[in-house]
Amino acid sequence: MNIPTYTAQQIAERFGLQLHGDGDTEIHGVATLAHAGPGQLSFLANPRYRAQLADSRASVVVMRADDVEGAPGTALVAKDPYTAFAKISALFEVAPVREPGIHPLAVIDPTAHVAANAHVGPFVSIGARSVVGEGCVIGTGSIIGEDCVVGDGCTLIARVTLVTRVRLGKRVQIHPGAVIGADGFGLAMDAGHWIKVPQLGGVVIGDDCEIGANTCIDRGALEDTVLEEDVRVDNLVQIAHNCHIGAHSAIAGCTGIAGSAKIGRYCLLGGHVGVVGHLEICDKVVITGKSVVRNSIHEPGEYSSGTPLTDTRTWRKNAARFKQLDALARRVAAVSKENE
Amino acid sequence: MNIPTYTAQQIAERFGLQLHGDGDTEIHGVATLAHAGPGQLSFLANPRYRAQLADSRASVVVMRADDVEGAPGTALVAKDPYTAFAKISALFEVAPVREPGIHPLAVIDPTAHVAANAHVGPFVSIGARSVVGEGCVIGTGSIIGEDCVVGDGCTLIARVTLVTRVRLGKRVQIHPGAVIGADGFGLAMDAGHWIKVPQLGGVVIGDDCEIGANTCIDRGALEDTVLEEDVRVDNLVQIAHNCHIGAHSAIAGCTGIAGSAKIGRYCLLGGHVGVVGHLEICDKVVITGKSVVRNSIHEPGEYSSGTPLTDTRTWRKNAARFKQLDALARRVAAVSKENE
Amino acid sequence: MNIPTYTAQQIAERFGLQLHGDGDTEIHGVATLAHAGPGQLSFLANPRYRAQLADSRASVVVMRADDVEGAPGTALVAKDPYTAFAKISALFEVAPVREPGIHPLAVIDPTAHVAANAHVGPFVSIGARSVVGEGCVIGTGSIIGEDCVVGDGCTLIARVTLVTRVRLGKRVQIHPGAVIGADGFGLAMDAGHWIKVPQLGGVVIGDDCEIGANTCIDRGALEDTVLEEDVRVDNLVQIAHNCHIGAHSAIAGCTGIAGSAKIGRYCLLGGHVGVVGHLEICDKVVITGKSVVRNSIHEPGEYSSGTPLTDTRTWRKNAARFKQLDALARRVAAVSKENE
């Protein structure tokens, strides 16, 4: 592996940043302000870390214009230092090489079509009538069932399962263990015994989506489960059948979204959030971690539920009172009235 | 793939439904009221959707007797339209064909026994002394460890792991990524270091159970973890060692049940529910999504916990007061007394 | 399989326990007090189960000195009977044999190094520059990416994924479906579209850690995600990028820990716990199941959050009042003042 090297000047030009200091400074890696050493580039985005700037041994730091005054060493000025840093840091990412071609220990159905320049790793199986587009990487142990479409430039890192009728847009990235297109959880009771409601729909995932490790997105019962473009989903998330997630929304780990929920564009769901089924969340809604959404939300903004953490003894006393809250409120109303 | 076609008359006879309208109407698929087109059958179960009936382009609609009056087109009358629809819709499900036989890229221990008419896909391994019954489908990449029994007619969709000592009844269906029979989480502290408590039990899963994608059911420490017949488990559910789940219960996604909990028959656990270990829930209990069960439940009925979602600013003010709830209740009691 | 047999005397000597009764009693298995039969050893740790002692058919019971008086049959006295039982019960665990050697259906990169006495199962792939130590078991279907180190004596049960830059200490045990070293969930917004923040760090897992089924531990953005030695993680847990978990901590199922959280030594996190990112929890903190940690914790002790479960009708009335809690507290303060 050759370590890539760039000068501060080259980076400034490439990303349209303003340079303060020595443009010849060579950079061969990125690090946090606290841990960067010579030859490394860092960033200052959160004002909380400004104090670290003076002591940082980073050769170059990306920062806002306001922070340049008094900054030691070479600075690159960006309106959004974190975003600029994300782009710069991609220069130093060494992605593993995945050569085009189908591994001899892959099993491809004769009716499937795999682009000649796609990579198909060992222990992959691709089912009937499925299509893998140009430049895709289908990593080791991935399983693509029947009637799937993997758009150009997609990466299934490894051990991804697309069960059936899953259609990925372009440049979708899916992490190991994710299961897309399994049966939705549809049940009907018949004479004291469950019967399964057939799940005849599929899953449609838009361009540039990313799906985390061990996340599940079920296929729809009658219509499709849909993620619009650029939806970002973390690990261990459950997206049930017939959900619809708007473009550019991001969903953190362990969140569960029940069936037929409709989530808007540019929404942010924190970790461990629960969303009840058959409701609607409008665009630009933020739900903080561990909250539960039991009703539709029609106004953009940030929403929360839950109670604060305390020592268990205190918690027990207060939690017991929660059961009396309505009675308490009634008594307060009565006392207030008496006092009038 | 041939598209199956049935007349309204054929469907009525097959499922014992009453026909209103043209029995010769041909049906070649199913859809929601809103999206059905000619040649499709739909259903009306939830009165909320009754308004859609007039505009629906569905050729046939399954509904209750009350709704037939004034319904356009052909109707099939059912006491429970959703259950009837589930059965009808199975006619139009095109299941992928899994031919009997063992794929050359499967690894079967010489002491294992696989029924001649079972399907064993590529990249499957079956361990010592394990048995796969008649007509089973062991999908691609599934791993069956030592001493497992897979009953007749089971389907492991793909990439399912039965670790060891897992016994499945008949017609059990398991979705990709599920891990059944991993070590329970048993630890004992010994001189400041954890030691592992051996997990010597197994997992017993009854007939007609269904286990969702990436769900985990651990094997017991000394006895078995048990799911009785017809238990339905959604995705990303954790069922810890020595749990016992009664017949016909259903558990929604992201729910976690701690060790040795005993859950009754016909229980419904919503999504993201937490159940503390070593407690008992009686038959016919419903726990709404995101609730936590910290004590045994002895009465059937529906139970909930948690607080409502509000905008974060309002939530912060109210949540802070939760810490003072006991003090508040005491003050109210004191004031009430003074006012007497 | 031969069933191992030990006398009470042999067990007493091996684990330094005091023997009461017949040292020649033969033991060929372990069971609970309630279910043990002749020839089986059981234990009494929780005083709740003392009543079962009289009726137990166990041939030998491990117990505290206090319980020996009046105990029928043979007793082994231990200060901590559960820990002693855990050790004894390991004598009766029949671990499957995993012969050294690389299965012909494994794919090993020529630059990887696998110890000669390691077991590598079928459908395993090991990537460039990765190293597998002495006596390791790399179970069926496991995937080890580039630049990983698996220390001596590690066991990857089956279908484990180490994505890239994962370094395991010695004797680490990982259960099926776990994904270690996937990309952290790092995003930056750029002109209305997400861009991915490269995840250049790795994951470091200390000696004697255990990682549960379908658990995810992401690799760090710039530095490593770290688990110190002897950390025990249950199933379906999410540990986000750059977390640091102190030695001897244990984390129960379905818990999620957001990015850059730092958790101390000897902490216990219950099931379904949520920990917000970028905070710190000191040593010896216990968080009860389903609680959420939104702020740093600086004092050892047990902490909780949440509300108690009630029937849904009662819950609804009380939960509605939660929205008025601040107003209620203000009114109580006002009334108290009026009454002064």
Side-chain angles (χ1 to χ4, degrees), chain A residues 161 192 196 223 272 321 339, chain B residues 32 159 210 266 290 339:
Chain A
T161 306
K196 199 170 160 58
E223 287 145 29
H272 254 144
R321 297 295 188 177
N339 277 23
Chain B
T32 58
R159 209 161 61 72
E210 184 173 0
Y266 291 107
K290 268 276 182 182
N339 277 22

Side-chain angles (χ1 to χ4, degrees), chain B residues 40-51:
Chain B
Q40 290 188 306
L41 174 145
S42 192
F43 72 107
L44 172 61
N46 188 332
R48 267 208 300 179
Y49 296 107
R50 193 174 293 156

Side-chain angles (χ1 to χ4, degrees), chain C residues 251-311:
Chain C
I251 301 172
C254 305
T255 282
I257 305 177
S260 300
K262 191 169 181 335
I263 293 177
R265 292 157 57 92
Y266 291 105
C267 288
L268 300 176
L269 273 59
H272 253 144
V273 163
V275 178
V276 164
H278 294 272
L279 56 71
E280 213 161 312
I281 296 177
C282 69
D283 293 352
K284 297 189 181 172
V285 165
V286 177
I287 308 291
T288 64
K290 267 277 181 183
S291 299
V292 52
V293 183
R294 291 196 184 85
N295 297 102
S296 289
I297 298 178
H298 306 294
E299 292 292 325
E302 188 185 304
Y303 296 83
S304 302
S305 70
T307 75
L309 191 85
T310 60
D311 67 276

